[in-house]
């Protein structure tokens, strides 16, 4: 089973024990996925989560896509440093065979060298989150691994004081 677990930096990690048994491709209704992700999160009163989609559904592995959204939205919540944290999830059609999922926040942003290394396993920065915890360095590496399992790619745009925008391109 370990050989089928996601690989991050040459190591195997489990997302959920036995995820391969119940993780299958299927039609994912994006509005329902949004509600499921929202139900799994504790969203503080000072955080606003917006969801917009010009696509109703996508054929993908719904377990993996929900995990990607959970990780990225959770990071935006954890590291948001404004009086009101804004997180925007947008799903757009890009040509007939691709969709783009963007997760954007108004958090503190990152330095250019951090952006270049953020998807490396066990990469952490000294910043603690709003709850006083330091990250483990596997969350964004896991996200990249899952996006690649879905046949897609991910990129990050960020600058200090400008928040982060993760763009995920997935086959439709």
């Amino acid at each position: 089973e370990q050989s089928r677990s996601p690989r991050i930096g040459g190591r195997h990690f489990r997302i959920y024990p036995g995820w391969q048994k119940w993780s299958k491709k299927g039609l994912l209704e994006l509005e329902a996925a949004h509600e499921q992700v929202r139900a799994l999160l504790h969203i503080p009163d000072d955080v606003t989560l917006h969801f917009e989609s010009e696509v109703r559904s996508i054929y993908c592995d719904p377990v993996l896509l929900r995990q990607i959204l959970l990780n990225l939205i959770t990071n935006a919540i954890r590291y948001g440093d404004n009086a009101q944290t804004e997180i925007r999830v947008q799903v757009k059609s890009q040509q007939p065979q691709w969709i783009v999922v963007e997760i954007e926040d108004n958090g503190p942003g990152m330095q250019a060298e951090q952006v270049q290394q953020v998807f490396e396993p066990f990469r952490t920065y000294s910043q603690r989150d709003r709850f006083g915890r330091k990250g483990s360095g596997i969350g964004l590496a896991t996200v990249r691994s899952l996006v690649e399992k879905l046949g897609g790619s991910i990129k990050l745009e960020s600058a200090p004081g400008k928040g982060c925008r993760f763009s995920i391109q997935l086959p439709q």
Side-chain angles (χ1 to χ4, degrees):
E1 184 176 355
Q2 186 178 24
S3 65
R4 290 183 288 180
S5 300
R7 291 182 60 85
I8 301 171
R11 297 172 123 181
H12 292 279
F13 289 91
R14 286 198 224 275
I15 301 159
Y16 297 112
W19 68 273
Q20 300 94 334
K21 295 174 190 163
W22 44 267
S23 181
K24 296 181 169 75
K25 275 193 161 189
L27 195 61
L28 176 64
E29 297 291 332
L30 292 169
E31 187 61 38
H34 166 247
E35 293 304 321
Q36 291 165 353
V37 167
R38 185 181 283 279
L40 291 171
L41 293 169
H42 168 70
I43 302 177
D45 292 338
D46 64 340
V47 174
T48 304
L49 177 60
H50 304 278
F51 180 82
E52 302 168 16
S53 182
E54 57 184 54
V55 179
R56 290 185 64 148
S57 59
I58 177 175
Y59 185 76
C60 70
D61 185 321
V63 172
L64 299 186
L65 186 55
R66 279 191 292 263
Q67 185 66 47
I68 291 164
L69 292 173
L70 276 170
N71 282 20
L72 293 174
I73 294 169
T74 298
N75 276 1
I77 291 170
R78 287 179 61 195
Y79 295 101
D81 65 346
N82 291 316
Q84 183 66 39
T85 298
E86 298 280 335
I87 304 166
R88 184 169 306 282
V89 179
Q90 294 182 308
V91 183
K92 305 172 187 178
S93 181
Q94 188 180 57
Q95 305 165 358
Q97 67 270 26
W98 295 96
I99 67 157
V100 175
V101 180
E102 290 183 344
I103 296 94
E104 185 173 8
D105 66 53
N106 65 340
M110 296 181 172
Q111 301 286 338
E113 61 273 6
Q114 292 173 319
V115 170
Q116 293 173 1
Q117 300 170 347
V118 75
F119 295 110
E120 292 178 17
F122 309 109
R123 178 64 65 179
T124 61
Y125 302 100
S126 61
Q127 180 183 1
R128 294 195 178 269
D129 67 16
R130 67 170 47 216
F131 309 108
R133 296 179 300 218
K134 191 168 178 356
S136 65
I138 63 169
L140 292 176
T142 299
V143 165
R144 181 180 63 185
S145 176
L146 297 178
V147 168
E148 290 171 354
K149 268 195 171 313
L150 291 174
S153 62
I154 185 170
K155 69 178 182 175
L156 169 62
E157 298 172 41
S158 185
K162 303 289 185 188
C164 292
R165 179 187 300 151
F166 289 89
S167 297
I168 302 166
Q169 186 177 36
L170 297 171
Q172 173 60 340

